[in-house]
Amino acid sequence: MTDKAADGTRTIQVEALARVEGEGRFKVRVEGGKVVRSEFSIFEPPRYFEGLLRGRSFEDAPDVTSRICGICPIAYIMGASKAMEDALGWEIPQPIADLRRLIYCGEWIQSHVLHTHLLHAPDFLGLQDSMELAQSNRSLVENGLQAKKAGNRLMEVIGGRSVHPVNTRVGGFYRAPEQEAIHGLVPELEAAEAMSIAALDAFSGFDFPDLEVDYLFVALRHISDYPITEGRIVSSEGLDIGVADFPDHFEEHQVAHSNALQGATIDGRPYLVGPLARFNLNADRLPPDILALAERAGLAPGCRNPFKSLLARQVETIYAFREAARLAKAYQPPEPSFVEAPLRAGTGHGITEAPRGICYHRYEVAEDGAIVSATIVPPTSQNQRQIELDLIGTVERFHNLDDDDLQWRCEQTIRNYDPCISCATHFLKLDVERG
């Protein structure tokens, strides 16, 4: 909905944002070409997962938190598992860590492909949705569905099912998949990588809006690998800290217009997590030929155009297929498939790179393994303030567009983040006044 007053003031309001996961809306008020108000509101009800965990066994955390999101359950499973293992002092052997990275590749693939091919690509082609895209470019949609199927299949074989896998646990996996089952995935993964390269070439021909944003990028960085399951926290301004130091540098706060907390640095600055941040902070960790594909598509290290996050996601999809095939070829069932040790009281921290950015977990555990407290900071919460600022930049940059086109551009701006709104509504500050 758009309103234009006699004095030229314009209000652009989308009551329900489509083609994102969850429920959200935004409102922008423009006066004289300048934005005087911008609110990205997540109105999906809070779900209190952190409160639900208190008093439960440490073993429940991965399964409970995976229900935060049906698109990225592995992010929560792995973050919760790593935080619990940190609290309990459990050491995870490399074969189990490799199997975790393999199933996480499946999540990256299915999530990224869903967004790039079906949710975001229509924006760049002036289409309403993937159904219209299928009519104009059937092969692009069919290839995307085939690639997503490969990611789902990877999660099914390792996790038991693609949505909320049931084979994962603190310490590893209940059962290690058979070697033949994992090796049998390699041809499909390699074929899907080739399809994903063709899709990147197609996406490179999109007309990306001319917009550069001075982001503070934050992501994990691994000593040798492109970060997925582990690493140190780094930023584009030189931050380099351990996972346990996250609360000393980042925080969340409540805003009146949203049910989701907003992340910021400890001194109040917004920051960006997700594919564009990962790419800019870790491009040197990509295989040289994949980095060359990115640059050929118009995505080079230092890119600060939020609309080119589509390209970053597709580059990561290619990498995830390559990495999954490598891990699958080398796979041997870990024996045993999980580790465990005596319980102890402790506090643990875990961060992994969800498709949308770093997802932080902190748990305090009692001597008997009961959860005393839980804190979960999902990527959409961390990005929410930056989304609002991007809306301001987009409206001011494109305010001369007519109302419908400007509204479209604002929706496209939010979809640059592939926001998982359900993930973000995990807490609501409650003030009670009593007589």
Side-chain angles (χ1 to χ4, degrees), residues 164-211:
H164 306 314
V166 294
N167 191 35
T168 54
R169 54 162 290 167
V170 178
F173 297 84
Y174 288 104
R175 182 182 63 83
E178 298 293 333
Q179 187 177 50
E180 295 77 13
I182 297 297
H183 288 182
L185 296 172
V186 172
E188 184 178 7
L189 295 171
E190 292 179 338
E193 180 189 340
M195 288 189 294
S196 297
I197 292 172
L200 178 63
D201 289 339
F203 295 155
S204 69
F206 288 171
D207 183 15
F208 294 97
D210 181 18
L211 183 66

Side-chain angles (χ1 to χ4, degrees), residues 209 211-218 234-238 265 269-278 280-281 302-309 382-394 412-417:
L211 183 66
E212 294 287 320
V213 181
D214 187 20
Y215 290 118
L216 171 59
F217 293 120
V218 177
V234 300
S235 80
S236 53
E237 294 187 350
T265 63
R269 299 171 59 198
Y271 60 99
L272 177 71
V273 301
L276 200 59
R278 282 193 296 261
N280 277 299
L281 295 173
C303 174
R304 293 178 176 271
N305 185 335
F307 295 96
K308 289 192 174 183
S309 63
Q382 297 177 70
N383 279 337
Q384 190 183 178
R385 178 55 183 157
Q386 189 60 62
I387 294 175
E388 289 186 338
L389 293 175
D390 277 10
L391 282 169
I392 293 173
T394 297
Q412 183 183 20
T413 296
I414 295 175
R415 280 192 288 269
N416 285 332
Y417 288 81

Side-chain angles (χ1 to χ4, degrees), residues 317-387:
T317 302
I318 296 168
Y319 173 77
F321 276 121
R322 177 82 58 85
E323 182 70 351
R326 180 188 72 82
L327 291 167
K329 289 175 183 177
Y331 174 73
Q332 294 184 351
E335 182 60 44
S337 62
F338 62 88
V339 298
E340 57 185 349
L343 299 181
R344 71 178 191 189
T347 299
H349 307 258
I351 290 184
T352 65
E353 282 284 358
R356 294 153 189 81
I358 57 175
C359 187
Y360 169 74
H361 293 245
R362 177 191 179 277
Y363 301 99
E364 183 183 353
V365 183
E367 289 185 2
D368 63 353
I371 298 171
V372 177
S373 67
T375 300
I376 305 168
V377 186
T380 294
S381 291
Q382 297 177 70
N383 279 337
Q384 190 183 178
R385 178 55 183 157
Q386 189 60 62
I387 294 175

